[in-house]
Amino acid sequence: MKYSLTHLRQLESEAIFIMREVASQFEKPVLLFSGGKDSIVMVHLAQKAFWPAKIPFPLMHIDTGHNFPETIEFRDRLVDELGAKLIVRYVQDSIDQGKAVEEKGANPSRNGLQTITLLDAIEELKFDAAFGGARRDEEKARAKERFFSHRDEFGQWDPRNQRPELWNLFNGKKTLGEHFRVFPLSNWTEMDVWQYIAAENLDIPKIYFSHQREVVKRDGVLLAKSEFITLLEGESYEERQIRFRTVGDMTCTGSVESPANTLEAIIQEVAAAKVTERGGRADDKRSEAAMEDRKKQGYF
């Protein structure tokens, strides 16, 4: 009998171990769920980690109000199928309460405003650990993360003050008001995620597959037509065959022209890609350190 594992099974085993470690060290964890491929994989791993019991913590979605309709539809269907508890907090409520200020402009993003809503929800519901689907290959700021990412009483992240994680020992010690973000997919790549989705035959939102959609090209990014985007002078929508490599707000998530309409075709496309999946995210192009600045403030 062979006891060697494929690289996907090794990654799966590592992620499951981390999830169980969180369940043993923390009193009230939560899984941050966006309806994207990474959070879908996270939910599947949580099912495996605690089977035959149900997932022992709720899912939480910070809803900006600028989501793709396909993502929200998928989110609600998945939660119903799992019988899981879903908590939804709305950025619009933070705006109405005067805690967040809506951006101005042609395609105002609420991506950064999620931080305020997220930190309020963590404080309100007293979560002491929040699972996130971030991976180190996504963006240079995320490459600095550890599995257990300590956040202070203000929800802030200090990349220079992280705890060592030697021999798979994770220090979850914290003081009152502090919490941890935990990233079980840290060692995964975009390719690993797609190969795992194919191997486990996971259902995903249809916007990940090639389809016809009206888009506008702005600053090199193909943005989908939506009520949240105002066309500038000289701009117009045109129908193209596109798909999305990552899912976020309609105002900042760019698509790629692609004929890939199967998981096998997507995997081949990812293998040949020279740009990371977040290369089409308009919010990451705002500055060289856009992601790191947001994370220091308490972003995902």
Side-chain angles (χ1 to χ4, degrees):
M1 182 180 294
K2 292 184 178 180
Y3 291 93
S4 60
L5 298 176
T6 66
H7 82 285
L8 286 180
R9 293 308 167 198
Q10 288 176 331
L11 290 171
E12 177 189 70
S13 178
E14 177 183 65
I16 287 174
F17 170 76
I18 291 167
M19 286 187 163
R20 290 172 176 169
E21 189 72 13
V22 169
S24 68
Q25 286 199 44
F26 296 92
E27 294 182 5
K28 200 171 182 183
V30 65
L31 192 153
L32 303 178
F33 185 77
S34 67
K37 63 184 185 305
D38 299 318
S39 56
I40 291 168
V41 167
M42 290 271 290
V43 169
H44 185 69
L45 291 167
Q47 283 185 284
K48 284 196 169 189
F50 303 104
W51 181 264
K54 289 187 176 182
I55 299 174
F57 38 76
L59 280 55
M60 183 165 70
H61 182 209
I62 304 301
D63 190 336
T64 64
H66 289 178
N67 300 285
F68 287 90
E70 297 95 329
T71 306
I72 299 300
E73 177 189 346
F74 180 90
R75 178 199 72 184
D76 295 340
R77 177 162 52 85
L78 179 65
V79 169
D80 285 342
E81 291 173 358
L82 294 177
K85 179 181 179 181
L86 174 68
I87 299 168
V88 182
R89 288 294 182 269
Y90 299 93
V91 170
Q92 185 62 53
D93 290 341
S94 298
I95 295 172
D96 293 342
Q97 294 164 11
K99 296 179 178 180
V101 179
E102 186 86 78
E103 286 188 2
K104 308 297 183 183
N107 57 315
S109 173
R110 289 184 172 182
N111 199 40
L113 304 186
Q114 294 179 87
T115 301
I116 299 168
T117 311
L118 172 63
L119 293 179
D120 282 350
I122 289 174
E123 182 179 7
E124 172 200 349
L125 300 169
K126 294 180 170 50
F127 292 125
D128 54 0
F131 289 107
R135 309 185 320 270
R136 291 184 178 128
D137 74 318
E138 287 182 275
E139 202 271 344
K140 57 187 177 183
R142 285 182 165 167
K144 298 180 181 180
E145 285 280 15
R146 302 286 172 86
F147 284 106
F148 277 35
S149 179
H150 175 262
R151 304 298 170 108
D152 64 19
E153 64 271 24
F154 301 106
Q156 298 172 326
W157 170 67
D158 183 359
R160 297 168 298 179
N161 188 28
Q162 297 192 81
R163 298 171 181 179
E165 296 180 342
L166 305 174
W167 306 293
N168 287 336
L169 296 175
F170 301 103
N171 182 359
K173 186 176 181 180
K174 57 180 178 54
T175 59
L176 186 65
E178 298 177 343
H179 72 277
F180 278 80
R181 308 286 172 84
V182 183
F183 304 106
L185 303 186
S186 287
N187 286 335
W188 296 52
T189 65
E190 182 186 8
M191 176 65 81
D192 294 329
V193 170
W194 282 116
Q195 289 179 333
Y196 189 76
I197 288 171
E200 297 290 300
N201 194 28
L202 301 184
D203 192 18
I204 57 175
K206 58 186 179 182
I207 60 173
Y208 279 116
F209 298 103
S210 179
H211 59 283
Q212 294 290 327
R213 202 181 198 108
E214 288 188 274
V215 296
V216 60
K217 190 169 186 177
R218 179 175 295 170
D219 297 328
V221 177
L222 293 175
L223 296 173
K225 182 178 181 179
S226 75
E227 61 182 297
F228 314 115
I229 295 177
T230 302
L231 291 179
L232 303 176
E233 185 177 353
E235 289 185 336
S236 62
Y237 288 111
E238 56 181 314
E239 191 167 281
R240 298 197 190 186
Q241 187 176 13
I242 58 97
R243 75 175 191 87
F244 293 88
R245 291 177 66 184
T246 180
V247 170
D249 277 4
M250 299 184 75
T251 55
C252 62
T253 305
S255 59
V256 294
E257 292 190 87
S258 169
N261 56 8
T262 65
L263 288 175
E264 292 74 17
I266 289 175
I267 290 171
Q268 291 178 2
E269 187 176 89
V270 170
K274 295 182 180 179
V275 179
T276 67
E277 61 186 295
R278 293 193 70 92
R281 291 292 292 263
D283 50 327
D284 287 352
K285 298 179 182 292
R286 296 189 172 192
S287 74
E288 281 292 319
M291 173 63 80
E292 184 161 335
D293 291 341
R294 293 200 303 272
K295 286 179 67 63
K296 287 179 179 178
Q297 295 167 0
Y299 186 71
F300 305 105

